[in-house]
Amino acid sequence: MSVRVYIPADAAAKSIGADAVAAAVRDEAMRLGLAIEIVRTGSRGLLWLEPMVEIETARGRVAYGVVRVSDVANLFAAGFLDGAEHPLSLGLVDDILYLRAQTRLTFARVGVNDPLSFEAYVASGGMMGLARAQAISTDAILDEMTISGLRGRGGAGFPAAIKWRTVRDAQSARKYVVINADEGDSGTFADRMLMEGDPFLIIEGMAIGALAVGADRGVIYIRSEYPHAIHVMNEALRIARREKLLGAHFDVEVRVGAGAYVCGEETALLESIEGKRGQVRAKPPLPAHRGLFGRPTLVHNVLTIAAAPTILANGGKAYGDLGVGRSRGTKPVQLAGNVKRGGLYELPFGVTLRELVYDIGGGTASGRPLRAVQVGGPLGAYFPEHLLDTPLDYEAMAKAGGLLGHGGVVVFDDGVDMARQARFAFEFCATESCGKCTPCRIGSTRGAETLDKIVAGVEVEKNMALVDDLLTLMTDASLCALGGLTPLPVGSALKHFPEDFIRAPKCAAAE
């Protein structure tokens, strides 16, 4: 009887040697004449422990990490196929604190199953949400979505049920479901992990959405920088057609974006799918009324649509019972930057930044004092240490002058230059702007120039006032969130770290 060995095939694990480890485990087992079955999975999200290898035993799955190729022979000699003790042993997977403390709904199967085994997906509760959706009316589906309190996980936090109802009520011979997998925010990787680790969940969510709104075509828009996710999603779609999950009633295709950050904005994304330059459309009309090819379109982020199967399977109330205030359910938070234990953690809304960074993340990787945490990607605000007790929910983040966004949290120690970070925000906006509106295109360029003058000590008071005016203009007049949110990182850096902008004058060298 063979022993089952689980090794991640997630892009992050691959980047640090998971494929080589898998090959070494296979070769050592062959050399020793031991029967094993290697199952390639997604990542559990504990990225500081990758590559993490798991062994199926009678007690449960036992984990080892960080496993290098040079460790493999020693692991076999120690009896790791029996779950034996070893310096790299992490114990039973179910007892690992950083997994046990999570509430995994969307990521329940990621790192557990072969992502392309439809049988494993069904055996672990997959397809239950779609089955229930098919057994009830569209009104009942929408009621469950409303009760769940699900809001868009891509950044805007718009109530999903309202969007579904709007598309359902629109009159058209064809409707679309479009999934925005153009995950471009710094410090974010949840969409990629889910596509690589549980693609059928996304497809099932799209099928539920299509059933509810009356769509017959779907598109998953993935950035070209995600080749592994593209491959896995395409394979999963092929299998889904074989299993009759997709077909003439509803079919899905993958479209690959060229990597423009602005195509993460829903209307620029639709333009790109249509074969046009990725530029933002003016609203109204909303995509729910006139979206892809002028048809009513349900546009969602990966994590939003992936919540639908759980909501339909377990009921909207069970999902809505988690979280705080108007932020219901769970949020997959991605912890990155200068932090000891970076990775993905799915938690109910309400955990504070301090709990996330220190209790889960272990503080800075450098061991130096923490200075700032940026939440919500490159357009998110910088939070100083005294604001780390802010809960991770939509309203609390907004009240503190920030946004939750896609859930990326990037940690900086006291070596960071916040003036450089603020300038980067302007520079990033200028580089990634689609060019359609002047406040974004020109305002960001002038902002970077003006910050350079401030740091150089040129007419500081006058240029500070000019930056303040620019931030107001970009917030109020930009066509989309790229220009409209750039003031958040710049303004928060100026507010909380003014000392980095006003430099002491340099002394002249003595003769």
Side-chain angles (χ1 to χ4, degrees):
M1 183 176 178
S2 63
V3 176
R4 195 166 287 166
V5 181
Y6 298 86
I7 303 174
D10 175 270
K14 282 173 171 283
S15 72
I16 49 177
D19 286 347
V21 169
V25 169
R26 179 200 62 214
D27 293 346
E28 185 68 7
M30 289 178 63
R31 187 182 73 82
L32 296 172
L34 300 173
I36 66 170
E37 176 191 354
I38 295 177
V39 179
R40 303 302 299 272
T41 67
S43 170
R44 296 272 190 174
L46 309 183
L47 298 183
W48 83 95
L49 294 175
E50 295 288 12
M52 189 168 82
V53 177
E54 300 176 24
I55 307 298
E56 190 173 84
T57 74
R59 296 182 295 130
R61 279 160 68 161
V62 176
Y64 298 83
V66 174
V67 177
R68 308 294 185 198
V69 170
S70 57
D71 299 317
V72 171
N74 185 259
L75 282 166
F76 272 90
F80 96 125
L81 290 186
D82 298 317
E85 284 297 319
H86 185 276
L88 297 182
S89 175
L90 302 169
L92 289 170
V93 171
D94 290 342
D95 291 339
I96 296 175
L97 174 63
Y98 306 103
L99 288 173
R100 196 174 69 238
Q102 297 184 45
T103 304
R104 288 213 157 190
L105 300 179
T106 301
F107 281 79
R109 277 177 291 267
V110 177
V112 179
N113 295 339
D114 174 353
L116 291 176
S117 170
F118 190 74
E119 295 76 14
Y121 180 72
V122 173
S124 56
M127 302 303 293
M128 290 176 62
L130 180 58
R132 179 158 183 256
Q134 290 170 334
I136 61 179
S137 67
T138 58
D139 280 333
I141 296 173
L142 295 174
D143 287 344
E144 292 290 4
M145 295 299 293
T146 301
I147 293 167
S148 74
L150 178 68
R151 294 167 68 178
R153 299 296 191 246
F158 188 79
I162 294 177
K163 188 180 287 190
W164 287 39
R165 196 175 298 276
T166 303
V167 178
R168 195 277 304 267
D169 292 345
Q171 299 301 308
S172 178
R174 166 154 289 177
K175 298 179 184 179
Y176 293 93
V177 175
V178 171
I179 301 307
N180 181 352
D182 191 63
E183 186 176 47
D185 284 355
S186 50
T188 62
F189 40 86
D191 291 357
R192 177 191 60 74
M193 281 185 59
L194 194 62
M195 287 187 286
E196 293 178 5
D198 196 7
F200 295 119
L201 181 69
I202 300 166
I203 298 170
E204 183 183 359
M206 293 181 72
I208 293 170
L211 182 65
V213 305
D216 62 352
R217 291 290 183 273
V219 178
I220 305 173
Y221 185 91
I222 309 176
R223 60 194 300 106
S224 59
E225 294 90 338
Y226 282 177
H228 301 295
I230 293 167
H231 169 73
V232 173
M233 285 306 313
N234 274 319
E235 279 299 297
L237 291 173
R238 181 185 63 79
I239 295 167
R241 292 186 192 100
R242 183 192 71 196
E243 299 295 332
K244 310 302 181 187
L245 173 57
L246 300 177
H249 62 291
F250 177 64
D251 205 0
V252 177
E253 64 176 305
V254 167
R255 291 290 185 93
V256 179
Y261 181 80
V262 76
C263 286
E265 195 279 334
E266 61 179 1
T267 62
L269 180 150
L270 296 176
E271 290 284 289
S272 178
I273 294 174
E274 291 179 7
K276 303 170 187 173
R277 180 179 176 184
Q279 283 194 313
V280 175
R281 298 176 184 174
K283 302 176 191 176
L286 297 170
H289 294 131
R290 288 189 60 194
L292 186 61
F293 300 113
R295 305 288 188 163
T297 304
L298 179 65
V299 183
H300 269 319
N301 162 266
V302 169
L303 300 181
T304 313
I305 202 69
T310 300
I311 291 168
L312 268 295
N314 301 333
K317 184 180 183 302
Y319 191 85
D321 283 344
L322 299 168
V324 294
R326 293 179 53 233
S327 301
R328 312 312 305 175
T330 60
K331 180 69 174 179
V333 180
Q334 301 118 96
L335 189 56
N338 192 334
V339 65
K340 285 181 182 176
R341 296 190 285 265
L344 181 137
Y345 305 91
E346 185 175 358
L347 305 161
F349 285 98
V351 65
T352 67
L353 280 172
R354 189 177 305 280
E355 291 169 326
L356 180 67
V357 172
Y358 287 108
D359 297 347
I360 297 174
T364 63
S366 63
R368 297 183 61 84
L370 181 145
R371 187 160 191 233
V373 175
Q374 187 177 31
V375 182
L379 305 181
Y382 290 100
F383 288 78
E385 209 279 339
H386 74 268
L387 287 180
L388 293 189
D389 292 315
T390 304
L392 284 170
D393 73 73
Y394 295 107
E395 281 66 44
M397 295 299 294
K399 185 177 179 181
L403 57 85
L404 186 52
H406 190 44
V409 177
V410 180
V411 178
F412 299 86
D413 71 9
D414 63 354
V416 67
D417 182 339
M418 296 308 297
R420 288 186 63 186
Q421 293 301 119
R423 190 192 189 282
F424 169 75
F426 273 136
E427 185 181 17
F428 179 83
C429 180
T431 301
E432 297 293 342
S433 174
C434 76
K436 192 165 186 176
C437 73
T438 303
C440 175
R441 183 182 73 249
I442 303 300
S444 54
T445 302
R446 295 294 170 259
E449 294 169 353
T450 309
L451 279 184
D452 287 341
K453 293 177 182 177
I454 291 170
V455 173
V458 177
E459 298 182 301
V460 172
E461 188 174 339
K462 175 183 174 182
N463 283 312
M464 281 285 199
L466 180 56
V467 168
D468 189 57
D469 284 347
L470 271 174
L471 298 184
T472 300
L473 174 68
M474 292 178 72
T475 300
D476 294 344
S478 293
L479 196 56
C480 82
L482 177 55
L485 292 180
T486 295
L488 280 183
V490 177
S492 60
L494 284 164
K495 178 181 178 180
H496 298 304
F497 309 97
E499 63 275 13
D500 283 18
F501 295 85
I502 311 300
R503 308 291 171 87
K506 295 180 181 179
C507 299
E511 294 183 2

